[in-house]
Amino acid sequence: MTSHSHQHPSGNPFADHVGFSLEPAEPGHSTGRLRIEPHHLNPNGVLHGAVLYAMADTGMGAAVFPTLAPGELCATIEVKMTYFKAIVRGEVACRTVLVNRGKRVAYLESSVYAGEVLLAKASGTYAIFTPSGATA
């Protein structure tokens, strides 16, 4: 069996599947980038909103992760996304910042751009916890 790092260049299988990259950043920040391909488009021929949502959610997790203590994990509680403009081709960048990091909950904001054009904004809260070892 091979490890995820051998199968997934970014170390993030979901980001690789969707087709975006996460750039190295300091704790509390992340930037994801995507070159729009035909499979990213919705039936109307514009970038599917779920792609931007996935970039924001993954970017938020990537920004929180380096702030975690050994043994801690994070998980999405909720993400709210507001879309402003549609795009059909080119590249998009999702920039995320950790606004507040409490002991058990983190609040983050993401902004998605095509060049200097703001396409969408997202806000999210993440649970911070130590797994108990129980399975669902």
Side-chain angles (χ1 to χ4, degrees):
M1 184 179 290
T2 55
S3 72
H4 285 296
S5 62
H6 294 295
Q7 296 174 11
H8 305 285
S10 73
N12 185 312
F14 182 73
D16 292 343
H17 176 74
V18 175
F20 64 93
S21 62
L22 289 167
E23 298 176 356
E26 63 186 65
H29 298 270
S30 74
T31 299
R33 297 194 184 277
L34 172 88
R35 173 170 292 287
I36 299 169
E37 300 291 342
H39 64 272
H40 295 125
L41 304 180
N42 69 19
N44 297 315
V46 299
L47 181 63
H48 198 293
V51 174
L52 298 182
Y53 184 95
M55 291 180 73
D57 185 37
T58 304
M60 289 178 186
V64 172
F65 187 79
T67 73
L68 301 177
E72 283 186 324
L73 296 177
C74 64
T76 307
I77 295 172
E78 66 88 27
V79 174
K80 179 196 183 304
M81 189 108 190
T82 302
Y83 301 93
F84 303 116
K85 297 205 181 281
I87 185 170
V88 297
R89 70 180 84 62
E91 292 186 17
V92 295
C94 178
R95 298 181 206 128
T96 300
V97 63
L98 175 62
V99 176
N100 186 64
R101 165 64 157 89
K103 187 174 183 176
R104 297 285 169 230
V105 176
Y107 175 82
L108 301 101
E109 294 178 346
S110 294
S111 299
V112 185
Y113 292 90
E116 297 301 315
V117 177
L118 181 63
L119 302 176
K121 287 197 67 89
S123 60
T125 52
Y126 281 67
I128 299 165
F129 61 97
T130 303
S132 64
T135 59

